[in-house]
């Protein structure tokens, strides 16, 4: 079974700043981590392999420094790592990113693709479903448990607001996972040694033979108008007094249209 | 500070630090309170390959030695000296096998120890045999293909939780220390049971138990080293394990020191952080200096052990003694710097002070260490 995990390197959220000029995240001098939701995807991929056998590959798109994130994934039990890296990818929005990743995935081969439910920097939750759409395969989002994988099918539980749904799908499939699915392991010493020695395979637009107009800024219809820190909510109004007084005062406010 | 660690040694430190911060700190106070055995952390340590660091590659280890053992022990002890001992005492229980085991014995036991599937323990002490190993009453009597063990060991770390025990018993009582032999005894062997579990001052996450042998038949092939070599097995084991006790002490001291620095910078009295008072500054300076001196000594002793040098008794004793005395002083001063807060269980330093004390007592009290150091000095003096 070929399991592929899509991960993103993101700035550590404990240190977020926005450049007021460009409306983008300030990345210089900010520590980078693997998107926390992707840690659950990695763990689940490794667990599937441990239970059913197969190979786990991790893929990411980004500048060369994303290698560090890919090596960390290897230290957690992933077998191989692939990085889509090319100047032409710079500035890709979720559409272009999911297109590029889907092309990379076609090259690697896959039975199960796992993504975190969303990235903590953009918070869009669009790339996973975007990849499934580009590949024209089924997707199960917000997976909180994989019940079984057999005979080319997967049965999983997906979180919904009122509880969960049990969803069966054929393979290949794309899953996005929530943090309830598992508790990611810590890196092992053997894993870290392997990560240090592993070769990270770099794939460019040329390797993918894709139209560069479909990736990067050119392939990105999204325009970010403005990013800003939302103003702090002001505290609510507190009515004090006896129950009768308070109710009367509240009614008065409602009638005057303040609430 | 550059301790000239290899990349692998740095990785060991990094992994143990992560385990300490993320997994041990949230649970250490609770384990200290309940005295339960920290199996969940042991599992994490085994999954992270930490039990492999000091064992040979051919038996599933990572090929390191005493220094790797010390780095892991120090780093884990910074977060909890008690939890770290589940690992460190397994080192103590494994050294006799590593040093004196036959290839078959090693092949049989080491891979599971390396994988962290089985913990080990070292059983020497008895009610009448503490510092004086010659007082051992537990006997091992030859009977066909077996030795039959009878007697009680007390205060054995990992007792009851470990699967593999290195036991020192008298094969010839009349000969005292020269009549001792070492055996591997597996948990579950008929006639081997566990007695009282101790309620302790510190390292409460570590279990300390009685081992009871009642006509316990141990196969002859489980003897470690030759018959009558039990005392030597113990002493050579301690030569290699004492840097580890030093490392445990060092970690505890470092943990307390960092808490004290943090507190001193934040606590305001007389309209100033207490760190601005010279009385506090000088304490911090002394603490840091002693820790650094202890660290250098611990690492040097571990490197000497790893170099294959046969005469490591003195430096191992020095490292254990100096680091443990340092830990006691530093943790006591950390409580002092933190005042009433330091005395409260809300902060971790009162526990660290309780945990530090044992390092001056076990694997030979610090009086015994001074005796070893002095004996070696006098012996060396003969050749000047
Ligand atoms: C928590 C804990 C865990 C332990 N774990 C283990 C274990 O895993 N395996 C194991 O075998 N043992 C273990 N021990 C036992 C430990 O090693 C002994 O307690 C230690 O060796 C001291 O022996 P004792 O307590 O009988 O003290 P004693 O030997 O009775 O000593 C009492 C005092 O007299 C001093 N003294 C004794 N002889 C001399 C001398 N010749 N010169 C000067 N002073 C002397 C000592 O320094 C000490 O201050 C453990 C003990 C504890 C408390």
């Amino acid at each position: 079974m070929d399991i592929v995990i899509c991960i993103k390197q993101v700035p550590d959220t404990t240190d977020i700043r926005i450049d007021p000029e460009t409306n983008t995240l300030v990345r210089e001098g900010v520590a980078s981590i693997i998107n926390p939701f992707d840690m659950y995807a990695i763990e689940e991929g490794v667990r599937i392999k441990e239970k059913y056998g197969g190979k786990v590959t991790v893929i990411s798109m980004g500048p060369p420094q994303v290698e560090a994130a890919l090596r960390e994934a290897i230290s957690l039990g992933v077998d191989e790592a692939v990085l889509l890296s090319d100047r032409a990818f710079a500035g890709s929005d979720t559409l272009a990113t999911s297109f590029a990743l889907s092309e990379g995935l076609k090259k690697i081969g896959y039975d199960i693709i796992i993504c975190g439910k969303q990235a903590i920097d953009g918070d869009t939750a669009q790339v996973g479903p975007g990849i499934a759409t580009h590949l024209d395969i089924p997707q199960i989002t917000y997976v909180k448990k994989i019940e079984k994988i057999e005979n080319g099918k997967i049965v999983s539980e997906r979180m919904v607001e009122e509880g969960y749904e049990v969803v069966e799908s054929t393979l290949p499939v794309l899953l996005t996972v929530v943090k309830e699915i598992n508790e990611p392991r810590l890196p092992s010493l053997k894993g870290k040694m392997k990560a240090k020695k592993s070769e990270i395979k770099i794939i460019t637009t040329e390797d993918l033979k894709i139209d560069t107009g479909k990736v990067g800024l050119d392939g990105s219809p999204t325009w970010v108008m403005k990013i800003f820190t939302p103003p702090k909510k002001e505290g609510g109004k507190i009515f004090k007094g006896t129950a009768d007084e308070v109710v009367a005062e509240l009614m008065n406010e409602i009638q005057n249209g303040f609430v | 500070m550059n301790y000239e660690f290899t990349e692998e040694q740095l990785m060991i430190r990094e992994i143990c630090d992560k385990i300490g911060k993320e997994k041990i700190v949230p649970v250490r106070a609770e384990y200290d309170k309940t005295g339960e055995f920290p199996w969940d952390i042991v599992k994490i340590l085994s999954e992270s390959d930490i039990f492999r660091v000091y064992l040979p590659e051919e038996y599933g280890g990572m090929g390191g030695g005493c220094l790797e053992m010390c780095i892991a022990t120090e780093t884990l002890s910074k977060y909890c000296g008690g939890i770290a001992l589940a690992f460190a005492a397994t080192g103590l229980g494994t050294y006799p096998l590593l040093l004196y085991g036959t290839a078959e014995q090693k092949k049989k036991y080491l891979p599971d120890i390396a994988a962290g599937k089985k913990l080990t323990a070292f059983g020497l002490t008895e009610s009448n045999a503490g510092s004086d190993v010659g007082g051992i009453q537990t006997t091992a009597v030859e009977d066909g293909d077996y030795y039959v063990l009878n007697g009680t060991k007390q205060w054995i770390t990992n007792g009851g939780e470990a699967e593999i025990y290195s036991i020192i018993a008298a094969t010839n009582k009349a000969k005292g220390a020269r009549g001792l032999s070492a055996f591997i005894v597996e948990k579950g062997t008929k006639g081997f049971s566990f007695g009282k579990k101790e309620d302790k001052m510190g390292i409460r996450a570590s279990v300390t138990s009685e081992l009871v042998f009642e006509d316990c038949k141990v196969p002859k092939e489980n003897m470690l080293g030759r018959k009558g070599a039990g005392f030597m097995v113990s002493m050579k084991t301690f030569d290699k394990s004492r840097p580890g006790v030093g490392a445990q002490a060092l970690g505890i001291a470092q943990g307390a020191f960092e808490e004290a620095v943090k507190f001193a910078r934040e606590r305001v009295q007389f309209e100033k952080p207490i760190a601005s008072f010279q009385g506090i500054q000088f304490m911090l300076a002394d603490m840091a200096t002693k820790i650094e001196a202890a660290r250098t000594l611990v690492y040097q002793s571990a490197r000497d052990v790893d170099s294959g040098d046969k005469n490591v008794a003195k430096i191992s004793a020095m490292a254990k003694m100096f680091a443990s005395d340092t830990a006691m002083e530093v943790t006591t001063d950390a409580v002092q710097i933190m005042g009433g807060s330091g005395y409260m269980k809300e902060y971790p330093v009162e526990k660290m002070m309780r945990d530090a004390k044992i390092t001056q007592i076990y694997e030979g009290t610090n009086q015994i260490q001074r005796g070893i150091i002095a004996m070696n000095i006098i012996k060396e003096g003969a050749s000047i």
Side-chain angles (χ1 to χ4, degrees):
Chain A
M1 190 148 37
D2 286 326
I3 306 149
V4 188
I5 324 284
C6 304
I7 69 168
K8 183 178 187 185
Q9 191 181 49
V10 296
D12 197 341
T13 39
T14 46
D15 190 14
I16 286 270
R17 273 165 296 147
I18 294 164
D19 184 331
E21 303 263 299
T22 59
N23 280 336
T24 52
L25 290 170
V26 176
R27 289 179 194 270
E28 287 79 48
V30 179
S32 293
I33 56 171
I34 294 179
N35 174 41
F37 290 110
D38 300 347
M39 296 295 276
Y40 301 95
I42 293 170
E43 176 66 27
E44 201 57 26
V46 174
R47 287 189 190 188
I48 294 173
K49 175 191 142 172
E50 284 168 354
K51 191 160 173 192
Y52 300 99
K55 190 176 92 180
V56 188
T57 307
V58 65
I59 182 171
S60 188
M61 187 184 92
Q65 57 264 35
V66 174
E67 258 198 53
L70 295 170
R71 286 193 196 280
E72 189 182 339
I74 292 174
S75 78
L76 296 166
V78 164
D79 299 303
E80 281 177 21
V82 174
L83 176 61
L84 301 186
S85 200
D86 195 317
R87 280 181 177 280
F89 291 132
S92 293
D93 67 0
T94 53
L95 181 73
T97 302
S98 56
F99 170 70
L101 284 169
S102 69
E103 290 298 314
L105 282 154
K106 279 185 199 162
K107 213 172 154 66
I108 303 170
Y110 51 84
D111 296 302
I112 300 178
I113 301 166
I114 313 178
C115 304
K117 74 160 178 158
Q118 66 198 53
I120 56 163
D121 53 354
D123 267 341
T124 67
Q126 288 170 354
V127 171
I131 293 169
T133 308
H134 284 297
L135 294 174
D136 198 19
I137 60 170
Q139 56 179 288
I140 311 174
T141 52
Y142 303 107
V143 172
K144 76 171 183 77
K145 187 178 174 188
I146 294 175
E147 282 182 5
K148 60 180 176 200
I149 304 168
E150 59 187 23
N151 306 326
K153 284 191 180 144
I154 183 169
V155 181
S156 68
E157 292 174 8
R158 74 180 288 265
M159 291 245 287
V160 288
E161 260 170 46
E162 310 79 37
Y164 66 90
E165 297 171 351
V166 178
V167 182
E168 185 185 276
S169 163
T170 51
L171 301 184
V173 68
L174 180 137
L175 315 175
T176 76
V177 298
V178 292
K179 68 181 191 320
E180 286 75 8
I181 195 164
N182 58 43
E183 196 190 333
R185 70 194 68 188
L186 294 176
S188 69
L189 189 55
K190 281 188 177 175
K192 267 189 172 293
M193 308 266 286
K194 184 174 165 226
K196 203 184 123 244
K197 286 187 224 132
S198 292
E199 195 194 330
I200 308 285
K201 196 170 164 199
I202 309 278
I203 295 183
T204 62
T205 47
E206 208 167 296
D207 300 323
L208 292 175
K209 298 187 184 64
I210 52 172
D211 171 6
T212 50
K214 290 177 84 173
V215 295
L217 276 176
D218 291 347
S220 298
T222 311
W223 277 102
V224 177
M225 302 298 289
K226 189 178 176 193
I227 298 183
F228 58 94
T229 318
K232 269 218 176 99
K233 273 195 188 149
E234 284 177 27
K237 187 167 177 180
I238 295 170
F239 299 98
K240 282 190 182 147
T242 66
D244 282 347
E245 288 164 12
V246 170
V247 170
E249 212 179 319
L250 176 65
M251 288 308 291
N252 190 27
E253 295 261 329
I254 292 172
Q255 275 157 6
N256 288 324
F258 291 129
V259 177
Chain B
M1 274 295 204
N2 175 8
Y3 302 108
E4 294 179 26
F5 284 161
T6 62
E7 217 156 357
E8 190 173 334
Q9 289 162 349
L10 289 170
M11 282 178 192
I12 295 170
R13 193 168 68 177
E14 197 184 313
I15 290 174
C16 290
D17 201 62
K18 203 169 164 67
I19 295 172
K21 272 200 197 99
E22 292 178 20
K23 305 291 178 183
I24 296 179
V25 168
V27 300
R28 65 183 174 190
E30 188 59 22
Y31 278 119
D32 178 58
K33 198 160 106 194
T34 62
E36 262 171 57
F37 195 74
W39 275 114
D40 56 342
I41 307 293
V42 169
K43 184 161 173 279
I44 292 169
L45 292 175
S46 58
E47 284 167 356
S48 304
D49 300 321
I50 297 306
F51 284 97
R52 298 183 198 278
V53 301
Y54 64 102
L55 295 171
E57 278 169 294
E58 55 180 318
Y59 302 112
M62 302 290 289
C66 188
L67 184 56
E68 281 76 8
M69 154 66 74
C70 285
I71 291 168
T73 303
E74 177 194 353
T75 312
L76 296 169
S77 298
K78 186 174 145 186
Y79 300 101
C80 180
I83 293 177
L85 190 56
F87 165 72
T90 288
L92 174 66
T94 305
Y95 268 122
L97 182 58
L98 206 53
L99 296 176
Y100 292 93
T102 61
E104 286 82 59
Q105 288 171 332
K106 289 182 184 172
K107 211 154 66 201
K108 182 167 176 197
Y109 296 109
L110 287 181
D112 280 349
I113 298 172
K117 282 190 199 148
K118 290 182 177 171
L119 299 183
T120 73
F122 183 68
L124 176 71
T125 305
E126 299 180 4
S127 58
N128 288 316
S131 300
D132 179 11
V133 178
I136 283 181
Q137 305 290 316
T138 297
T139 53
V141 177
E142 225 171 321
D143 178 13
D145 293 337
Y146 295 88
Y147 276 94
V148 181
L149 269 62
N150 275 291
T152 302
K153 295 285 168 189
Q154 78 173 10
W155 304 343
I156 306 306
T157 303
N158 283 351
E161 305 296 342
E163 296 289 325
I164 299 162
Y165 295 78
S166 298
I167 301 296
I168 309 296
T171 37
N172 186 344
K173 233 168 147 179
K175 280 192 171 170
R178 306 274 155 233
L180 301 173
S181 300
F183 300 90
I184 302 168
V185 186
E186 292 178 49
K187 183 176 174 175
T189 307
K190 201 165 160 260
F192 177 24
S193 62
F194 304 101
K196 186 171 163 223
K197 187 181 147 186
E198 303 295 339
D199 192 7
K200 303 188 295 291
M201 172 200 235
I203 54 161
R204 292 175 52 83
S206 169
V207 62
T208 315
S209 294
E210 238 174 21
L211 313 182
V212 183
F213 300 96
E214 292 164 303
D215 291 329
C216 174
K217 281 169 82 173
V218 178
K220 270 191 173 162
E221 68 258 23
N222 279 22
M223 187 181 271
L224 283 167
R226 54 178 174 74
K227 193 174 173 181
F231 182 74
M232 191 172 69
V233 171
S234 308
M235 294 308 121
K236 293 287 172 198
T237 291
F238 286 145
D239 285 353
K240 308 250 184 319
S241 68
R242 279 178 185 141
V245 180
Q248 181 194 23
L250 186 58
I252 296 171
Q254 181 71 33
F257 172 71
E258 288 179 16
E259 293 292 335
V261 172
K262 196 166 108 208
F263 187 90
R265 290 171 57 97
E266 285 166 7
R267 172 70 173 167
V268 173
Q269 286 292 279
F270 302 98
E271 288 156 23
K272 284 183 199 153
I274 60 166
S276 65
F277 303 129
Q278 202 177 46
I280 300 287
Q281 289 173 355
F282 281 10
M283 280 172 90
L284 290 172
D286 285 343
M287 289 157 84
T289 307
K290 283 178 203 161
I291 289 173
E292 216 43 70
R295 181 171 286 129
T296 308
L297 194 49
V298 167
Y299 292 169
Q300 186 57 47
S301 66
R303 287 187 160 118
D304 282 1
V305 167
D306 291 337
S307 75
D309 188 339
K310 295 258 180 296
N311 299 313
V312 291
K314 185 175 80 174
I315 191 155
S316 287
M318 285 175 163
K320 189 270 186 191
M321 179 192 91
F322 188 76
S324 60
D325 285 349
T326 295
M328 203 61 240
E329 288 169 22
V330 166
T331 54
T332 308
D333 285 349
V335 171
Q336 190 65 25
I337 287 172
M338 294 172 67
S341 301
Y343 198 74
M344 299 300 162
K345 288 202 190 280
E346 214 180 310
Y347 289 87
V349 290
E350 64 80 28
K351 171 185 175 293
M352 291 166 174
M353 185 175 162
R354 288 185 285 112
D355 288 350
K357 186 65 210 175
I358 191 60
T359 60
Q360 294 179 301
I361 297 172
Y362 61 16
E363 292 194 33
T365 65
N366 280 6
Q367 283 76 18
I368 295 299
Q369 307 306 321
R370 287 179 170 86
I372 294 168
I373 297 164
M375 250 177 37
N376 278 279
I377 294 169
I378 294 162
K379 211 163 63 187
E380 287 161 16
S383 60
I384 293 178

